[in-house]
Amino acid sequence: MIVREARLDDTSAISRVHVDTWRMIYSGIIPEDYLAKFSYEKRESSWVQMLHTAREDNHFVYVVEDRAGQIIGFADGGLERTSNPIYKGELYAIYILKKYQRKGIGRCLTLSVVERLFRLGIHSMIVWVLVDNSACKFYEALGGKKIYEKQVKKGGIMLDEIAYGWTDIQFLLSG
């Protein structure tokens, strides 16, 4: 497996991973008609725009490739988006195709984001996740502490979201 920074020509593959994992993870949590509207084309358009402006916004995306060079996952991170006084960095998203999950890839992608934040002088991080998402266990295993809760509207319904935070991400780099 190779973890590297995403390039503009990765947007199609990132979009496929994004849509496929969203539909799998959120099936039964978010209404199916909403998930059906989550298309490769719309996601690719969004990813093209994000990758065009990422560097200037201290926003970065890492991808992981399998042995054949196919992108099988990605992590997206950067500066915390709400000017939180405690948590200065944020893991915006991390998605890995189902057959590659639970193999340490999520940890490698998360550490790529953490290393980049640390190089920017950012020593704390937050991530938001739907309460019903199995990824909650992943963030807890990485030492994330539940710090905030809020409700978000997705597909016409209100869902509970939880934030996990790390006040010192350096310990992730040494573990």
Side-chain angles (χ1 to χ4, degrees):
M1 302 289 167
I2 297 171
V3 176
R4 63 171 174 79
E5 195 158 358
R7 301 182 302 254
L8 198 53
D9 64 343
D10 294 327
T11 56
S12 179
I14 293 169
S15 300
R16 282 190 186 85
V17 170
H18 199 175
V19 170
D20 292 348
T21 55
W22 247 73
R23 288 180 178 161
M24 184 234 359
I25 291 167
Y26 298 119
S27 178
I29 299 172
I30 296 175
E32 295 300 322
D33 61 334
Y34 181 81
L35 292 175
K37 294 176 190 171
F38 203 67
S39 72
Y40 298 131
E41 296 79 17
K42 288 179 186 174
R43 285 286 75 198
E44 185 168 359
S45 176
S46 294
W47 279 108
V48 166
Q49 186 171 348
M50 277 191 272
L51 288 177
H52 269 301
T53 62
R55 289 189 190 274
E56 59 203 50
D57 294 338
N58 279 322
H59 174 192
F60 32 88
V61 180
Y62 290 93
V63 296
V64 61
E65 297 177 348
D66 65 8
R67 291 182 183 161
Q70 300 297 306
I71 292 174
I72 58 169
F74 70 89
D76 182 20
L79 301 178
E80 195 277 333
R81 297 176 277 193
T82 66
S83 302
N84 186 294
I86 299 168
Y87 302 95
K88 302 298 182 183
E90 185 171 351
L91 177 60
Y92 304 143
I94 181 168
Y95 292 103
I96 301 162
L97 292 174
K98 185 174 183 168
K99 81 179 221 177
Y100 296 97
Q101 292 177 3
R102 302 191 193 297
K103 298 179 187 292
I105 296 169
R107 182 175 176 76
C108 289
L109 284 167
T110 301
L111 290 178
S112 295
V113 170
V114 167
E115 287 170 358
R116 182 72 164 271
L117 289 171
F118 203 76
R119 286 196 313 264
L120 291 171
I122 296 169
H123 302 276
S124 58
M125 182 177 78
I126 192 170
V127 62
W128 285 94
V129 61
L130 290 177
V131 170
D132 293 330
N133 187 330
S134 62
C136 291
K137 292 178 184 130
F138 170 72
Y139 298 121
E140 290 168 7
L142 287 177
K145 304 294 182 215
K146 295 178 185 178
I147 52 172
Y148 305 120
E149 288 187 43
K150 68 180 179 182
Q151 286 200 313
V152 294
K153 192 172 190 174
K154 298 270 188 210
I157 63 169
M158 296 304 290
L159 298 166
D160 294 321
E161 205 171 42
I162 190 165
Y164 288 91
W166 295 262
T167 54
D168 182 6
I169 59 175
Q170 186 171 4
F171 93 92
L172 287 167
L173 298 174
S174 59

